[in-house]
Amino acid sequence: MPHDDSPARADDARLDTPEADDGAQTAADDIASQSGDPNFMTSLARGLAVIQAFSQQRRLMSISQISQKTGIPRAAVRRCLYTLAKLGFVAAEDGRNFALRPRILSLGHAYLASTPLAKAAQPVLRHVSNALNESSSIAILDGDEILYIARASTSRIMTIDLDIGSRLPASCTSMGRVLLSQLPADELDAYLARVKLVQYTPHTLISADALAAELAKVRAQGYAIIDQELEIGLRSIAVPIVSQDGRVVAAINVGVQAARVPVAELESRVLPVLREAAGELSLLLP
């Protein structure tokens, strides 16, 4: 299971027949939903889906494994990997199992380099971590997940480490709940209607109604606390980072060991430090 605010996520027959993934929504399904748009480039979407199939848990993947995970036919996966390999983004040292190459970092560098928050956050996060002796992170909402854009780590408190670029379900993270709570009503309703809530621990909220009620509470109080919903022994607290025009653009959090830091201490000791840091970062936003 991931770290700070994170659950663990798990991740030849006929050549053109993709292998189903237990009925779950796949990248191929998302791509197919755009089939009526004449400006939509299916080949580009497939290539990006192949890149996103790799994860910390699946750093090496075969064509068949990628096809199964994405729902994209193996022949199309093979062409995507061939093209990506020619461009230096993937490689298969053994000729069978592919891995991302360092050049893939260039795709994210442009975003991070052009985002004032990502550029300026690191010193602020280090200050938070040093002041509290706890790990701290910043994330944005990207679809139904949060995307980590900055992080300062002191020690591992979960079984899988996180870093910049890590993605986690928004429903089960303190930063995710802060960001979801600020969505317009119609967007939040759509999210609650489609989200598949996974029970990671006995404490995890798995009812859309319960999650909606919790998000309303988060919106009213201005912060979110996750208490062992993602992994037994983990607590985390997050607050929003608000731009000068009043938009919530990101969230900042701190994760702690539940045995060491009670919820009351999160609110009394950690919350003021997070709010001060969020205010400082807000000054850097347009």
Side-chain angles (χ1 to χ4, degrees):
M1 296 212 135
H3 174 75
D4 267 358
D5 207 11
S6 29
R9 293 178 304 170
D11 246 342
D12 265 41
R14 283 185 59 86
L15 191 62
D16 291 316
T17 304
E19 300 171 66
D21 191 6
D22 298 330
Q25 183 84 0
T26 65
D29 296 326
D30 294 335
I31 293 169
S33 70
Q34 304 292 332
S35 60
D37 186 346
N39 294 313
F40 185 80
M41 292 182 63
T42 299
S43 58
L44 175 59
R46 284 176 166 176
L48 294 173
V50 166
I51 291 173
Q52 291 176 298
F54 294 92
S55 67
Q56 188 173 18
Q57 294 76 34
R58 285 290 191 92
R59 297 181 182 184
L60 285 172
M61 299 186 73
S62 67
I63 290 172
S64 292
Q65 288 171 327
I66 295 173
S67 176
Q68 181 175 8
K69 184 169 183 180
T70 63
I72 297 171
R74 280 185 288 277
V77 170
R78 182 179 290 107
R79 290 194 297 272
C80 288
L81 289 170
Y82 177 84
T83 303
L84 290 169
K86 285 291 186 180
L87 296 174
F89 291 114
V90 303
E93 299 297 332
D94 62 1
R96 171 180 170 80
N97 293 297
F98 289 81
L100 298 178
R101 301 294 298 153
R103 190 175 184 185
I104 205 74
L105 296 173
S106 65
L107 299 179
H109 176 72
Y111 168 76
L112 293 173
S114 63
T115 303
L117 182 58
K119 292 173 63 177
Q122 211 57 50
V124 177
L125 284 180
R126 282 198 296 267
H127 173 74
V128 170
S129 289
N130 291 338
L132 299 171
N133 196 29
E134 306 287 359
S135 297
S136 182
S137 307
I138 291 176
I140 60 172
L141 189 64
D142 187 22
D144 293 351
E145 298 177 311
I146 58 168
L147 173 67
Y148 281 69
I149 64 170
R151 178 165 170 73
S153 180
T154 56
S155 62
R156 286 188 59 172
I157 60 176
M158 295 192 74
T159 55
I160 294 179
D161 202 6
L162 291 175
D163 207 342
I164 294 171
S166 295
R167 306 174 71 90
L168 301 171
S171 62
C172 294
T173 57
S174 59
M175 290 189 287
R177 286 188 182 172
V178 162
L179 297 169
L180 288 172
S181 74
Q182 299 298 319
L183 289 177
D186 57 339
E187 292 183 27
L188 181 55
D189 288 345
Y191 168 80
L192 291 170
R194 70 175 178 266
V195 67
K196 294 179 174 62
L197 300 175
V198 177
Q199 185 163 18
Y200 296 101
T201 79
H203 306 288
T204 309
L205 294 183
I206 56 172
S207 159
D209 289 340
L211 179 58
E214 181 64 21
L215 293 176
K217 176 183 175 183
V218 169
R219 187 183 310 112
Q221 67 188 15
Y223 64 92
I225 290 178
I226 293 288
D227 187 4
Q228 303 185 82
E229 292 189 46
L230 303 168
E231 184 170 306
I232 295 298
L234 169 71
R235 288 191 177 116
S236 65
I237 183 170
V239 301
I241 299 172
V242 185
S243 66
Q244 296 298 303
D245 62 3
R247 293 177 298 111
V248 173
V249 297
I252 179 172
N253 91 324
V254 163
V256 302
Q257 292 176 340
R260 189 167 45 80
V261 182
V263 170
E265 186 176 342
L266 284 179
E267 295 175 315
S268 64
R269 183 174 69 94
V270 179
L271 181 57
V273 176
L274 277 180
R275 282 179 164 162
E276 181 181 357
E280 184 177 347
L281 290 168
S282 294
L283 297 176
L284 304 174
L285 298 173

